[in-house]
Amino acid sequence: TNVALDVIKKDDVSAAIFAPGWVYETKQPPDFQTAQNRWWSLVEKSWGIVQNYPKTLPFYSNFDQGRGNHISVDGAQVLSTQWNNISSQTFQPFLEYVGDSTSKTIEVRVDFKEASFNGGGNITFKGTLEAGASFSTRLFSGQLLMGPLPIYFTYSVNSEGNSQLGLSLEFSSETEGKKKLFLTSQGTNQFSSEVPMPRRLTTPDNAPGWVMQEVSIAMNGYTLTEIHAVCYKQQPEITNTTEYFAVLGDIKISTSSKNTEFPPSTSWIVNGQDIEWGTSQGSKTLSLKISWKPEDEKGPLFPKYNIYVEKLSKQSIRTLRGTLESVREYIGVAHIEAFYVSQLVIPSDTSSLKFIIQVCNVDGAGQNLDDAPFFQLDVQSSTNILSLLFGCLPW
């Protein structure tokens, strides 16, 4: 492919790539992810990078490729099975592929096995790093013009031991030239660039290990051209080990540090349609379509909705604290204002089902589940289900 692209580009002709699934279908060694990265790196070397981002704000990436082995929301894993949904992919990093991993101290890859902060993807940094040494790799090549107001960088990191992960930002100006800023959660004099100190944000209790950092930057007249990840060790050394491990969960760039304000649940119209009750292997099942829309059709548009179900029992189960105990089960994601539930298994002691639609913004923020719109449905008794089933048969 890259040989053909080399010839085509010389004559300034456009090109389209047909059937990139070939990498997967032919089981290229040593594994799909490595072969996929190698193949696209050849395309990049021939054609170059033709899309630069970030260009506009807000900008968000959780490095999701629309597939994975689990799904997380705000650092908490909500799904532990394999999945595939191409609509869920976000901006991908411009990682440089190196065929010989021994030539690099740190191996960098978009990963689907390590725990993610949001979605099913992340960037994992793993290898060895001596004290005082550092490793840098490009994540994004941007064309973001900075204005007079500050912008906010927010990113999530999960690391082991004294492994540290920061961001290096490169700016350019026609009058002032180039400038670098280094964002790090730990003070360091290893780098000659300016070091704005981020503030640590509150991380949910159910997201152990994750640290969220935020920093505001004012660079009026400059253009953000590069975002790099920088691996280094905390100083002074806590341990003598050279092992390095860190995971970058997501990156957000926005014009405000305030939390996203979502419309209240009462401002949504939620309906259930095509409701079908049934049985499977002795258990009740439910299939239906849930749809929703804002009462104000001129309101903001949202790109994503996480769907949960709460199975409420016939007898209210209360904890020692006297609060109602219920489990919210993640069942999928929607990128339009509708979601199909297929043969949902219902425990025998369930009296009603509450389907919760978590509204998510383009900056990666999700609405609090207690404030999200929902559709509640009473569960039919087994007798009614059997009547519905047998009533349709020509006895």
Side-chain angles (χ1 to χ4, degrees):
T1 303
N2 60 300
V3 173
L5 289 175
D6 287 341
V7 175
I8 294 171
K9 191 174 182 178
K10 288 180 180 178
D11 291 322
D12 197 26
V13 179
S14 61
I17 298 175
F18 176 74
W22 173 89
V23 178
Y24 180 83
E25 294 160 358
T26 55
K27 298 181 179 180
Q28 295 294 302
D31 56 72
F32 169 68
Q33 192 63 39
T34 303
Q36 179 82 333
N37 292 339
R38 177 177 179 270
W39 189 81
W40 281 109
S41 71
L42 293 174
V43 173
E44 179 185 337
K45 287 178 181 178
S46 291
W47 209 251
I49 298 175
V50 295
Q51 292 291 337
N52 295 85
Y53 46 81
K55 285 184 178 180
T56 59
L57 297 182
F59 172 82
Y60 178 78
S61 178
N62 59 0
F63 319 114
D64 212 322
Q65 291 187 357
R67 62 186 180 89
N69 301 305
H70 63 270
I71 291 179
S72 296
V73 176
D74 292 334
Q77 186 170 296
V78 296
L79 186 71
S80 58
T81 59
Q82 288 189 337
W83 63 278
N84 190 301
N85 185 341
I86 201 69
S87 297
S88 294
Q89 65 178 318
T90 59
F91 289 104
Q92 292 298 298
F94 295 121
L95 298 180
E96 181 182 0
Y97 173 80
V98 177
D100 182 10
S101 60
T102 60
S103 64
K104 297 174 67 176
T105 59
I106 302 294
E107 181 183 2
V108 186
R109 64 188 302 170
V110 175
D111 189 82
F112 306 100
K113 295 181 180 180
E114 296 296 336
S116 302
F117 187 77
N118 266 326
N122 56 68
I123 302 181
T124 297
F125 304 80
K126 185 178 181 180
T128 59
L129 202 62
E130 300 289 343
S134 65
F135 171 85
S136 178
T137 186
R138 176 193 62 186
L139 297 181
F140 298 107
S141 296
Q143 290 181 346
L144 180 63
L145 179 62
M146 309 287 285
L149 298 178
I151 63 172
Y152 295 83
F153 282 77
T154 307
Y155 58 99
S156 59
V157 175
N158 194 336
S159 61
E160 294 182 359
N162 61 342
S163 301
Q164 299 294 319
L165 181 65
L167 298 180
S168 176
L169 311 179
E170 297 185 7
F171 299 87
S172 66
S173 167
E174 292 184 358
T175 57
E176 302 295 332
K178 295 183 178 181
K179 189 173 184 178
K180 286 186 179 182
L181 296 179
F182 181 65
L183 314 183
T184 172
S185 60
Q186 299 287 339
T188 176
N189 57 5
Q190 293 175 247
F191 308 96
S192 59
S193 58
E194 297 184 28
V195 184
M197 289 295 293
R199 67 184 183 97
R200 184 166 177 166
L201 302 180
T202 302
T203 306
D205 294 335
N206 57 353
W210 287 101
V211 175
M212 296 176 62
Q213 307 285 348
E214 182 181 79
V215 64
S216 63
I217 296 174
M219 296 286 291
N220 188 22
Y222 281 86
T223 297
L224 175 63
T225 57
E226 296 279 344
I227 301 176
H228 293 249
V230 181
C231 304
Y232 64 102
K233 289 295 191 76
Q234 180 177 331
Q235 294 181 332
E237 282 281 345
I238 298 176
T239 63
N240 294 323
T241 178
T242 61
E243 293 182 0
Y244 182 94
F245 181 83
V247 176
L248 181 62
D250 62 357
I251 291 180
K252 178 175 73 171
I253 311 174
S254 60
T255 56
S256 174
S257 63
K258 296 181 180 179
N259 294 331
T260 303
E261 294 186 3
F262 294 96
S265 60
T266 53
S267 65
W268 294 84
I269 301 173
V270 187
N271 293 308
Q273 301 169 309
D274 303 325
I275 299 173
E276 295 183 3
W277 300 95
T279 59
S280 176
Q281 298 181 348
S283 298
K284 304 176 201 175
T285 62
L286 171 66
S287 299
L288 80 159
K289 172 188 174 182
I290 306 170
S291 60
W292 55 92
K293 63 179 181 179
E295 287 184 331
D296 182 6
E297 297 183 355
K298 297 181 180 180
L301 298 176
F302 297 96
K304 173 182 170 182
Y305 306 88
N306 290 324
I307 313 300
Y308 295 80
V309 63
E310 200 170 0
K311 300 173 182 178
L312 304 175
S313 62
K314 296 177 181 178
Q315 296 179 347
S316 297
I317 303 174
R318 297 189 176 274
T319 65
L320 295 176
R321 295 182 180 179
T323 57
L324 184 65
E325 183 181 279
S326 60
V327 177
R328 290 163 175 168
E329 176 187 345
Y330 174 89
I331 56 175
V333 61
H335 297 274
I336 58 173
E337 294 171 347
F339 184 80
Y340 292 87
V341 179
S342 178
Q343 294 187 329
L344 177 70
V345 176
I346 306 169
S348 58
D349 64 341
T350 304
S351 61
S352 65
L353 300 167
K354 183 179 180 180
F355 295 95
I356 303 171
I357 300 106
Q358 183 184 36
V359 185
C360 299
N361 202 8
V362 66
D363 62 1
Q367 187 175 24
N368 188 305
L369 293 182
D370 292 330
D371 304 323
F374 63 90
F375 173 73
Q376 192 153 347
L377 179 67
D378 289 336
V379 175
Q380 292 188 1
S381 67
S382 298
T383 303
N384 290 339
I385 294 175
L386 290 173
S387 298
L388 287 171
L389 291 174
F390 294 134
C392 297
L393 298 177
W395 295 105

